[in-house]
Amino acid sequence: MSQQQSNQPARVPKRIASVIINSLKGGVVPRIGLPYITVGREREIAALLHDLSLVQDGGASFRFLVGRYGSGKSFLLQTIRNHAMGNNFVVCDADLSPERRFQGTNGQGLATYRELIRNLSTKTRPDGGALNLVLDRWVSGIQTKVTVEDGIKPDDPTFTDAMERQIMKITSQVQELVHGYDFARLLTMYWHASLEGDAETKANVTKWFRGEYRTKTGARQELGVNIIIDDADWYEYLKVLATFFHAAGYNGLIILIDELVNLYKIPNAISRQYNYEKILTMYNDTLQGKAHYLGIIMGGTPQTIEDRRRGLYSYEALRSRLTQGRFAQEGLADMLAPVIHLEPLTHEELLVLIEKLADIHAELFGYKRTITQQELVAFLSAEFDRVGADSHLTPREVIRDFIEMLDILYQNPTMKIEDLLQGDTFKKPVETPVEEQAALRSKKTNATSSTTAQTGDNGTDEFAEFDI
């Protein structure tokens, strides 16, 4: 009986099932419920979990996840995000965009920092906005430590002095870092405001930590400090936060950055190089031991990383560090290297995945699943028999087609799967994803401008990408 029960799929709550189905049909990764649909990626997940253990021990890590559009980069990032929160890490994530980069003349770097802090999450606050929760937990933890370990009650006259000594022990850990002194001063300010019930000062300190002060004058008037987080030094404060989070009782800070392609799309070559230089700084800090309790994972397409004209490999210092060695080859990928290339899911893994989705769909809409194993195999065969499937078909498109098919069958009970699979619409060739089409057009344009510059047609390559 127990064996029979273990073979049955776990029941998915309707709220989570709805998020899973709607998100995947819309082509995005659900923020919750990933364990119900995770298949494959065992080696990649094991490598990233090893990184978490290094961060927990006081080290730092840096990884690139590289894969085509729809290959599962974002899914893997969300999976690691959930693992990290479950293991008592503080996690923050952000998608890069034209307004959010690592460096820019219009505050794009600070915008990325603000997005990361806005999405700060913990196990008890998984949806972001956990900064005040962490700060309050830190204050409460110190009070508990003084009460339990030192045996000093809150009404004791020496309680405040004992609290001050404990705070000094913690803030001394961050004072050694760049900007650590000012950070420690603001932490002390937050503790005093908590002790005195000063909600306004607590709000102002939180505002400062979020990077929301635009001028030093505003920070000086409200907090009495002459420094703010700006576009030039926001990353330094993330290193300070990582050390503080560990002192506050967490295992460290994990930063997840997706959509690196938005750096690849920057039209100005100098701006791109500045952003790649910031990535190099992060990379060096984590691998050389200059950062502690900090893990960074970034996701991008192969062209974003490997294009030697506009990608990360156009920055020689990064290319020399990230290029694979001579022994790595198909089937022998090095999962301990800084760049993890995502291999496509196998047909067997996709079969397991769509079977899980069929069960979840049936539970969500309250009907008995009738689709058979043979019909699932027939669906995958029809998908991969299409022209262009070998080079362009991604798990995202397969999943989207499958959920759409389930929806149609549910709404039209008399229709059979064979009728849908044999239709002319389903047999259309697989088109290149829109994002990849844009990248190919950009590559052709760059090649043309490069050729024009080399032939001396009224200009040079330096000005071919000039951006006003």
Side-chain angles (χ1 to χ4, degrees), residues 263-298:
L263 302 185
Y264 177 85
K265 292 178 180 178
I266 296 175
N268 185 275
I270 296 176
S271 296
R272 282 200 310 274
Q273 295 297 302
Y274 279 142
N275 277 271
Y276 295 159
E277 186 175 339
K278 181 68 78 171
I279 292 179
L280 177 64
T281 298
M282 300 178 186
Y283 181 88
N284 288 341
D285 279 356
T286 52
L287 269 66
Q288 293 177 343
K290 296 180 182 178
H292 302 281
Y293 304 106
L294 177 64
I296 302 175
I297 307 175
M298 297 186 182

Side-chain angles (χ1 to χ4, degrees), residues 307-363:
D307 189 329
R308 296 199 179 193
R309 177 174 169 78
R310 296 176 64 103
L312 262 64
Y313 282 9
S314 67
Y315 194 69
E316 179 60 28
L318 279 173
R319 187 189 67 79
S320 62
R321 287 164 170 78
L322 302 180
T323 304
Q324 284 186 339
R326 292 176 295 169
F327 296 101
Q329 53 187 288
E330 187 175 353
L332 292 175
D334 180 8
M335 291 298 164
L336 299 180
V339 179
I340 296 179
H341 293 267
L342 298 186
E343 298 293 334
L345 291 177
T346 66
H347 290 195
E348 291 77 11
E349 290 169 340
L350 282 173
L351 179 60
V352 173
L353 175 56
I354 63 174
E355 188 172 14
K356 289 174 179 284
L357 292 176
D359 290 329
I360 293 173
H361 192 276
E363 287 187 18

Side-chain angles (χ1 to χ4, degrees), residues 38 47 212 240 251 257 288 293 357 370 428 433 441:
T38 300
E212 295 177 356
V240 178
N251 286 333
I257 303 288
Q288 293 177 343
Y293 304 106
L357 292 176
T370 58
K428 286 183 177 180
R441 286 195 300 269

Side-chain angles (χ1 to χ4, degrees), residues 108-233:
Q108 290 97 329
L110 183 59
T112 300
Y113 172 85
R114 289 173 177 169
E115 180 72 4
L116 289 170
I117 298 302
R118 186 178 71 84
N119 292 331
L120 206 69
S121 303
T122 63
K123 184 177 181 179
T124 54
R125 186 71 64 83
D127 297 324
L131 179 60
N132 280 109
L133 175 71
V134 173
L135 291 170
D136 291 337
R137 174 183 169 177
W138 169 67
V139 173
S140 176
I142 294 176
Q143 292 175 338
T144 301
K145 190 171 185 178
V146 170
T147 303
V148 175
E149 295 185 7
D150 299 342
I152 304 175
K153 297 182 179 180
D155 57 356
D156 193 300
T158 62
F159 183 78
T160 302
D161 292 336
M163 287 278 291
E164 289 275 11
R165 287 193 297 271
Q166 289 293 339
I167 288 176
M168 284 298 295
K169 289 181 182 179
I170 294 176
T171 55
S172 63
Q173 298 179 35
V174 300
Q175 285 181 10
E176 300 175 357
L177 303 173
V178 176
H179 302 307
Y181 177 81
D182 298 290
F183 190 93
R185 181 182 174 189
L186 283 153
L187 283 176
T188 305
M189 199 179 299
Y190 189 91
W191 169 70
H192 280 294
S194 299
L195 194 65
E196 298 165 5
D198 186 352
E200 182 179 357
T201 299
K202 287 179 63 176
N204 289 336
V205 173
T206 302
K207 178 181 176 182
W208 189 93
F209 283 139
R210 288 174 178 163
E212 295 177 356
Y213 278 102
R214 296 185 178 275
T215 64
K216 294 181 181 179
T217 301
R220 184 167 57 250
Q221 290 175 346
E222 295 185 2
L223 291 171
V225 296
N226 292 314
I227 191 171
I228 60 173
I229 301 174
D230 58 29
D231 206 64
D233 58 11

Side-chain angles (χ1 to χ4, degrees), residues 8-14 17-18 21 36 356-369:
Q8 295 177 350
R11 294 188 61 84
V12 183
K14 280 199 171 183
S18 176
I21 296 298
Y36 294 106
K356 289 174 179 284
L357 292 176
D359 290 329
I360 293 173
H361 192 276
E363 287 187 18
L364 175 61
F365 292 101
Y367 65 89
K368 183 178 180 180
R369 183 190 131 187

Side-chain angles (χ1 to χ4, degrees), residues 378-386 389 393 397-398 401 426 430:
F379 166 79
L380 287 180
S381 297
E383 283 278 8
F384 284 94
D385 284 344
R386 296 160 64 196
L393 192 62
E397 186 171 350
V398 173
D401 286 347
F426 196 81
V430 181

